[in-house]
Amino acid sequence: MSLEDTGEGWRLWVHAPAVAERLSPGGSFDLWLREEAEALCIGPRWLPLLSPALTKAAALGSGESQSALSVALDLDRQGSLQHYTFSRSSVRVDARVDAGTLQALAERKPKARTVPAALKALKDQLPLLEQLIELAGLLRQQRWQAGSIDLDLPTPAIESLGDLTTAPPDESREGWLVSLDETHPFALLRELLIPAHRALGRHLASLDLPGLYATNEAPDPADLNEVAKAALALELPLELSADGNATASELATAFASSDRARVLQQQLKDSLRPVLLSETPGPNHVVGEDTAYAPWTLPALHYADIWNQQVLVLLLTEGKDRPSVRHKTKVELASDSCHGQVDWPLLPPSTLAPIQEARSSALLHRLNTRSRFVQELHADALALAQARQAEPLVGQTLPGVISGVQSYGFFVEVPPSQVEGLVHVSSLKDDWYEYRSRQNRLVGRKNRRTYMLGDAVDVVIQKVDVLRHQIDLVVVQPDGDDGSESGSAGASGFDGPEPLTMAPSED
């Protein structure tokens, strides 16, 4: 990244490793990369997408000139993208920024005359870094105003998960973005990459070039209304749209200030749709883009970025900037200034046809399937790690929060690993409980005790099945209550008939 103040706004430069220039499109290695599709993080280890030799050749190392694919993004003072120009370039990295650097900068007094030790190596770059942080804040606000959603649902800091505990440096494939502290390097990187992907998406779409677009549909209003009903049942004030329906961004804003924020955000998360790759440009609500979005800056993580780099390189190297040699006036194919001016084939048929043929439904299916596989792999790794964290705690009483309510019982999330276990209704020996679906709660028929979404409860971890990721819990009743501690499912010690789950009541 680098930044220039243009007087009317900023020119943000984003430089990405030039991987596509080192590959032969359609060659054996390129075909292998299409099959692999994604780099895989397995806890403390990575299964990289690129070969070690290619990674080393393309890396942007400090103090060394290296080939890159770059874009100059012209932004106004509010952070809105105005114009852009792509290029093949040679860059030299002057300095690298890590979490310690950003933390030291955040803690530095505004008018301090001395430079903290952690910042001395970056003394010459501090003004640039401060401007980048300011710009990232504006871009974040722009993204939120466009309907993008951040949820405070980070992966628990379990050591065995390694890099899985860190949110990815690019946009999420899950329909939402995890909230990041502003001193996290990826919080800065993510905001500055989004307009670069937005620019290429719009450029490829305008020139009708065969890119791969990251699209994300808006959630189903019916699903959002169910989440809103759950919030209203908890007496959370909501301001709905003029049509009476809730929007995802409105719900996210309301939930952020609630004392039940985490469980409500989890309900909202489940209603959001995943990001899918498409051959057709379309909106991407995750980042607040309504036209087209084409990722290209992280070719070491995703094959889609490699593909889009290949299309961009072909445009920059083989694109026809005028109808024929007889025309003296050229258009700038690397810039948005050419939009609406091109009415001739940009690439030779011999170059364009193989790419159009390769961008098939089979390729898109493969890439989307691999993306889902990566998400499932990460979810399984997290569940396994959480279950292992819970295993030594069997028999202990721990505080938790009800994260879901069903007719057969309720789920409780237990910190610090946020492992989720089930309190089965048959273990609630103090009463008969009926399930009220509209209110997301279980209510005792005699004592009127309720268990509802977001309630704090004390539980005992009774059993852990690590391989199945199943945690059995029993709830601890308050002192002085009739059933001071409920027994396990099927346990004796309760005079009277077995607990009964009533049919859902709609009151």
Side-chain angles (χ1 to χ4, degrees):
M1 308 289 179
S2 58
L3 192 66
E4 305 168 16
D5 192 327
T6 64
E8 297 180 353
W10 288 279
R11 175 165 292 170
L12 170 67
W13 286 88
V14 176
H15 309 282
V19 170
E21 294 181 332
R22 294 175 167 85
L23 293 175
S24 176
S28 57
F29 186 44
D30 186 42
L31 295 177
W32 182 85
L33 290 172
R34 292 179 193 177
E35 286 297 308
E36 294 299 305
E38 300 277 343
L40 300 180
C41 180
I42 308 176
R45 293 182 56 236
W46 277 87
L47 299 180
L49 176 61
L50 305 181
S51 66
L54 181 55
T55 300
K56 182 178 179 180
L60 303 179
S62 297
E64 299 178 356
S65 295
Q66 185 59 281
S67 297
L69 279 176
S70 304
V71 63
L73 303 160
D74 290 331
L75 308 164
D76 64 20
R77 288 298 181 189
Q78 287 71 47
S80 297
L81 179 62
Q82 302 298 308
H83 302 288
Y84 50 82
T85 303
F86 292 93
S87 61
R88 300 164 69 208
S89 61
S90 179
V91 301
R92 185 184 69 248
V93 176
D94 293 322
R96 298 170 65 90
V97 176
D98 58 18
T101 302
L102 294 177
Q103 184 65 41
L105 187 59
E107 295 173 352
R108 182 189 183 193
K109 295 181 180 179
K111 297 183 179 180
R113 296 183 179 180
T114 59
V115 178
L119 298 176
K120 286 186 176 180
L122 289 167
K123 183 178 180 180
D124 294 339
Q125 286 80 32
L126 286 182
L128 169 62
L129 183 55
E130 289 172 337
Q131 288 181 330
L132 286 171
I133 292 171
E134 179 186 356
L135 177 58
L138 288 174
L139 293 172
R140 189 178 299 110
Q141 292 295 328
Q142 286 272 336
R143 178 168 60 78
W144 289 342
Q145 290 172 10
S148 178
I149 294 174
D150 290 4
L151 299 179
D152 190 17
L153 298 174
T155 301
I158 300 174
E159 184 176 357
S160 62
L161 291 176
D163 284 348
L164 289 180
T165 61
T166 302
D170 58 346
E171 69 284 348
S172 170
R173 297 287 177 89
E174 299 183 24
W176 54 281
L177 295 172
V178 64
S179 298
L180 292 175
D181 187 277
E182 293 184 7
T183 60
H184 195 297
F186 286 175
L188 178 62
L189 184 63
R190 182 171 69 187
E191 303 301 337
L192 301 177
L193 289 182
I194 287 173
H197 295 177
R198 174 178 288 122
L200 185 61
R202 294 180 179 181
H203 201 52
L204 296 181
S206 178
L207 299 179
D208 196 24
L209 291 173
L212 293 179
Y213 302 96
T215 61
N216 172 245
E217 296 182 7
D220 188 329
D223 293 337
L224 290 179
N225 284 339
E226 288 301 314
V227 178
K229 290 177 184 177
L232 291 171
L234 299 174
E235 299 182 351
L236 184 70
L238 292 177
E239 293 185 8
L240 303 181
S241 301
D243 59 2
N245 290 322
T247 67
S249 58
E250 289 170 344
L251 291 177
T253 300
F255 295 170
S257 59
S258 169
D259 58 355
R260 300 172 190 252
R262 181 174 175 84
V263 294
L264 288 171
Q265 287 180 344
Q266 287 174 324
Q267 301 284 318
L268 178 59
K269 176 194 71 173
D270 294 338
S271 71
L272 302 176
R273 296 178 175 177
V275 174
L276 297 175
L277 294 171
S278 171
E279 63 180 7
T280 305
N284 186 323
H285 291 89
V286 174
V287 295
E289 169 58 32
D290 59 2
T291 304
Y293 195 81
W296 62 279
T297 63
L298 295 168
L301 294 182
H302 316 292
Y303 180 77
D305 292 51
I306 297 176
W307 175 281
N308 286 331
Q309 279 200 5
Q310 289 174 337
V311 176
L312 176 58
V313 169
L314 288 174
L315 174 66
L316 297 177
T317 57
E318 300 186 33
K320 293 179 61 177
D321 56 8
R322 49 185 169 169
S324 68
V325 294
R326 295 190 300 272
H327 289 74
K328 295 183 179 181
T329 304
K330 300 179 182 180
V331 298
E332 182 54 65
L333 295 179
S335 167
D336 64 309
S337 63
C338 72
H339 295 179
Q341 299 186 39
V342 178
D343 58 1
W344 59 88
L346 286 176
L347 296 174
S350 59
T351 299
L352 184 60
I355 302 177
Q356 290 176 326
E357 183 179 350
R359 192 187 62 167
S360 61
S361 57
L363 173 63
L364 289 166
H365 176 73
R366 174 64 180 173
L367 297 182
N368 285 323
T369 299
R370 288 291 285 177
S371 178
R372 287 195 300 272
F373 169 75
V374 170
Q375 293 177 38
E376 292 168 359
L377 178 69
H378 292 176
D380 286 345
L382 172 59
L384 183 64
Q386 288 174 312
R388 285 175 172 165
Q389 291 275 307
E391 201 170 22
L393 304 177
V394 171
Q396 295 188 27
T397 300
L398 299 166
V401 175
I402 296 178
S403 56
V405 182
Q406 298 293 332
S407 60
Y408 50 82
F410 54 88
F411 293 92
V412 177
E413 199 175 63
V414 181
S417 69
Q418 307 300 346
V419 65
E420 192 175 58
L422 174 66
V423 175
H424 198 274
V425 70
S426 61
S427 71
L428 302 174
K429 300 293 186 179
D430 62 318
D431 203 349
W432 291 272
Y433 284 85
E434 61 182 30
Y435 174 51
R436 300 186 178 181
S437 58
R438 289 188 177 181
Q439 300 172 348
N440 268 301
R441 66 185 67 186
L442 291 172
V443 180
R445 293 184 65 190
K446 293 187 298 183
N447 60 26
R448 312 307 295 172
R449 177 183 293 134
T450 64
Y451 294 103
M452 67 179 184
L453 195 68
D455 278 355
V457 292
D458 290 336
V459 292
V460 176
I461 297 181
Q462 185 184 37
K463 181 181 178 183
V464 176
D465 188 328
V466 173
L467 295 181
R468 293 183 179 181
H469 312 155
Q470 292 181 352
I471 317 294
D472 292 341
L473 308 173
V474 290
V475 70
V476 178
Q477 305 290 2
D479 290 341
D481 218 313
D482 291 337
S484 59
E485 179 174 326
S486 61
S488 62
S492 60
F494 176 75
D495 277 343
E498 286 294 317
L500 174 66
T501 301
M502 304 296 291
S505 172
E506 301 301 336
D507 58 340

